[in-house]
Amino acid sequence: MRHFRTDPIDETDVEWLLSMAHRAPSVGLSQPWRFVRVETVELRERLACHVDRQVKEAGKEYDGDQDKLYRSLKLHGLREAPVLFAVYCDDGTETGHHLGAVTMPEARRYSCVMAVHTLWLAAQTRRIGMGWVSIMEPEGVNAMLDIPASWECLGLLCLGRPVSEEDVPELERRGWEQRTDWHSVVVRR
Amino acid sequence: MRHFRTDPIDETDVEWLLSMAHRAPSVGLSQPWRFVRVETVELRERLACHVDRQVKEAGKEYDGDQDKLYRSLKLHGLREAPVLFAVYCDDGTETGHHLGAVTMPEARRYSCVMAVHTLWLAAQTRRIGMGWVSIMEPEGVNAMLDIPASWECLGLLCLGRPVSEEDVPELERRGWEQRTDWHSVVVRR
């Protein structure tokens, strides 16, 4: 979701969303997700400018009609969405005593993704939209937000009321990509 | 979930779960998840032996009461669960035309996690339990399953009816780790 209304969402809703995210499953019960609420106008604008630059840079690989379509897509709502989080995984956490994360440390980050997805689904039940922005350079964002060295950035989350409620993703409606058949993602051994 | 009944689950349920997983959100609509259904007794046993070895290896970092507790935990249900998948991310997919995955290619893997989580939640609605096993070495598992080089392993998924339905995770019930307060995972900037 990229098209947000600018009116605020209730703080009680934001707190409920965070409490729901915190109920996600996690490897070894490590609960490694960290939500950084971006509250100042200055930081928000710096993040938006950073992503604008990254969007421009990432667009260099397209040309012709695809380039035209890419340029017309709205790829973040960082200036409009009333609530903004940067989401992190604390790779240095001792909670869970490393269970399940010794051979595959990325399992901790996957737990954080489930917290984000839980927040996303919970938001939908209150007609709050979410947009996950991944066109960014983690190092630049970490420096802006003064993030501990052991935290790994998963992206930026925009939250707010959608301008319009749509069942079909914009990338599908606009012809960027089509949904594939689920049978094509299953193989047997 | 680690304690599975061995009775089969309906193939119509398995197909429905895969079709639900395939509706997860994905970066650039890349739909990069791949589900490898493990169907032979031989492969299942090789995977179970592999994970048994990894569990033993990972346990070397514990001692005393923690070691005793670790040894008593059931850490996978690979021999009992009637349905078994290895789940992968196709990092080489052209679907989605790399949108959102140029600066953070891991965004594709995070999309796969949302597909797994969608499958997990859908399973719960039909009283099917899921256990995500991450105590494994991806390279070893990839070789056993003859996986394309561009695919990244996210883990093994066991699915089946739970021996008992529990609201509190076993690691919490058994005292391995406690749930933290959600306020502790939120910071402000």
Side-chain angles (χ1 to χ4, degrees):
Chain A
M1 230 277 291
R2 300 299 188 232
H3 303 272
F4 295 94
R5 282 165 35 190
T6 55
D7 48 309
I9 55 181
D10 283 349
E11 269 310 303
T12 50
D13 281 337
V14 178
E15 295 196 353
W16 178 74
L17 291 175
L18 290 166
S19 71
M20 291 301 286
H22 197 60
R23 298 187 66 85
S26 60
V27 62
L29 209 61
S30 55
Q31 307 157 77
W33 40 77
R34 304 292 181 259
F35 293 92
V36 179
R37 178 99 176 248
V38 177
E39 298 186 312
T40 72
V41 177
E42 293 74 16
L43 269 177
R44 177 191 286 265
E45 184 55 27
R46 285 183 67 192
L47 288 169
C49 290
H50 171 86
V51 173
D52 283 340
R53 279 193 303 274
Q54 296 292 319
V55 164
K56 210 168 170 182
E57 186 66 26
K60 287 181 181 165
E61 71 166 301
Y62 307 117
D63 50 27
D65 286 348
Q66 197 173 38
D67 178 54
K68 208 176 287 179
L69 179 51
Y70 179 83
R71 286 165 187 266
S72 77
L73 292 170
K74 182 170 171 60
L75 293 172
H76 72 84
L78 292 168
R79 290 190 178 85
E80 303 84 27
V83 175
L84 177 55
F85 288 104
V87 61
Y88 284 85
C89 175
D90 182 357
D91 275 330
T93 187
E94 290 300 321
T95 308
H97 314 288
H98 312 157
L99 183 67
V102 175
T103 46
M104 287 183 65
E106 60 268 41
R108 262 190 298 263
R109 286 174 217 159
Y110 299 162
S111 301
C112 298
V113 174
M114 290 193 281
V116 171
H117 192 224
T118 301
L119 190 154
W120 201 341
L121 293 168
Q124 282 289 111
T125 70
R126 297 198 176 183
R127 311 187 92 165
I128 296 167
M130 200 192 89
W132 182 341
V133 178
S134 61
I135 309 184
M136 45 163 278
E137 276 197 328
E139 282 178 26
V141 171
N142 298 353
M144 281 180 218
L145 298 177
D146 190 23
I147 297 296
S150 69
W151 291 19
E152 182 82 16
C153 188
L154 277 82
L156 301 169
L157 307 180
C158 298
L159 286 152
R161 303 282 168 194
V163 168
S164 64
E165 296 188 43
E166 306 278 357
D167 278 338
V168 177
E170 183 168 12
L171 293 179
E172 193 175 348
R173 278 185 281 125
R174 300 282 306 276
W176 179 264
E177 190 52 89
Q178 299 304 307
R179 215 169 262 281
T180 62
D181 187 277
W182 72 262
H183 295 89
S184 69
V185 301
V186 181
V187 299
R188 295 163 187 279
R189 289 290 189 270
Chain B
M1 229 274 292
R2 300 300 188 230
H3 302 272
F4 295 93
R5 282 165 36 191
T6 56
D7 48 311
I9 54 180
D10 283 348
E11 268 311 302
T12 52
D13 281 337
V14 178
E15 295 196 352
W16 177 75
L17 291 176
L18 289 165
S19 71
M20 291 302 285
H22 197 60
R23 299 188 65 85
S26 61
V27 63
L29 208 61
S30 55
Q31 307 158 77
W33 40 77
R34 304 291 181 262
F35 293 91
V36 179
R37 179 99 176 248
V38 177
E39 299 186 310
T40 72
V41 177
E42 292 74 17
L43 269 178
R44 177 191 285 265
E45 183 57 26
R46 285 183 68 193
L47 288 169
C49 289
H50 171 86
V51 174
D52 283 341
R53 280 192 302 274
Q54 295 294 318
V55 164
K56 210 168 171 181
E57 186 65 26
K60 287 182 182 165
E61 69 168 301
Y62 308 117
D63 50 27
D65 285 348
Q66 198 174 36
D67 178 54
K68 207 175 287 176
L69 179 52
Y70 179 83
R71 285 165 187 266
S72 77
L73 292 170
K74 182 170 170 60
L75 292 173
H76 73 83
L78 292 167
R79 290 190 179 84
E80 303 85 27
V83 176
L84 176 57
F85 288 105
V87 61
Y88 284 86
C89 175
D90 182 357
D91 275 330
T93 187
E94 290 300 322
T95 308
H97 313 288
H98 312 157
L99 184 66
V102 175
T103 46
M104 286 182 66
E106 60 267 41
R108 261 190 298 265
R109 288 174 217 159
Y110 299 162
S111 301
C112 299
V113 174
M114 290 192 283
V116 171
H117 192 224
T118 301
L119 191 154
W120 201 341
L121 294 169
Q124 283 289 112
T125 71
R126 297 198 176 182
R127 310 186 94 163
I128 296 167
M130 200 193 89
W132 183 340
V133 178
S134 61
I135 308 184
M136 43 164 278
E137 274 196 329
E139 282 176 26
V141 171
N142 299 353
M144 280 180 217
L145 298 176
D146 190 23
I147 296 298
S150 69
W151 292 18
E152 182 82 16
C153 188
L154 277 82
L156 301 169
L157 307 180
C158 298
L159 285 153
R161 303 282 168 195
V163 168
S164 63
E165 297 189 42
E166 306 278 356
D167 279 337
V168 177
E170 183 168 11
L171 293 179
E172 192 175 347
R173 278 184 282 124
R174 299 281 306 276
W176 179 264
E177 189 52 87
Q178 299 305 307
R179 216 169 261 281
T180 61
D181 187 277
W182 70 263
H183 294 89
S184 68
V185 300
V186 181
V187 299
R188 294 163 187 279
R189 289 289 191 272

